[in-house]
Amino acid sequence: MKLSMNLAMKHRILFAILMSLVLTFFMSAWVTFLNVGLIEGFLDYWMHAWVLAWPAAGVISFISGPGIHRFAHYLAKTEQS
């Protein structure tokens, strides 16, 4: 049995995965740096933080994305008035 997924849902899932990957990758590096500095083992601390943050951010992005997208459209329309 082949599962099919419409293009909009595929885009939503891929966008949530990729956006959360990029944001958590850099934000976890920044926050780890602020918390511990460039110490020995920095990479281990950073990767640990990133592995914990990415799944949570992915789920949050997937769930909240449509509402935030609608709100952004609303704000953009309000600015034109």
Side-chain angles (χ1 to χ4, degrees), residues 12-13 16-17 20-21 24 53-66:
R12 184 175 163 200
I13 291 168
I17 290 169
S20 62
L21 180 145
T24 57
W54 186 22
V59 170
I60 292 166
S61 177
F62 181 77
I63 292 170
S64 65

Side-chain angles (χ1 to χ4, degrees), residues 34 39 45 49 59 66 73:
L34 291 176
I39 61 169
Y45 286 112
V59 170
H73 274 285

Side-chain angles (χ1 to χ4, degrees), residues 2 4 16 20 24-27 38 40 49-50 55-56 59 63 67-68 75 79 81:
K2 183 178 177 185
S4 66
S20 62
T24 57
F25 185 77
F26 289 108
M27 289 302 298
L38 284 177
E40 184 177 332
W50 179 64
V59 170
I63 292 170
I68 293 171
L75 292 176
E79 290 296 319
S81 302

Side-chain angles (χ1 to χ4, degrees), residues 7 9-11 14-17 19 21 28 31 37 39 41 44 46 48 53 56-57 62-63 68 70 72 74-76:
L7 185 59
M9 183 57 73
K10 187 182 288 188
H11 177 268
L14 289 171
F15 185 84
I17 290 169
M19 182 60 82
L21 180 145
S28 61
V31 172
I39 61 169
D44 292 332
W46 172 19
H48 178 75
F62 181 77
I63 292 170
I68 293 171
R70 283 189 299 275
Y74 168 79
L75 292 176

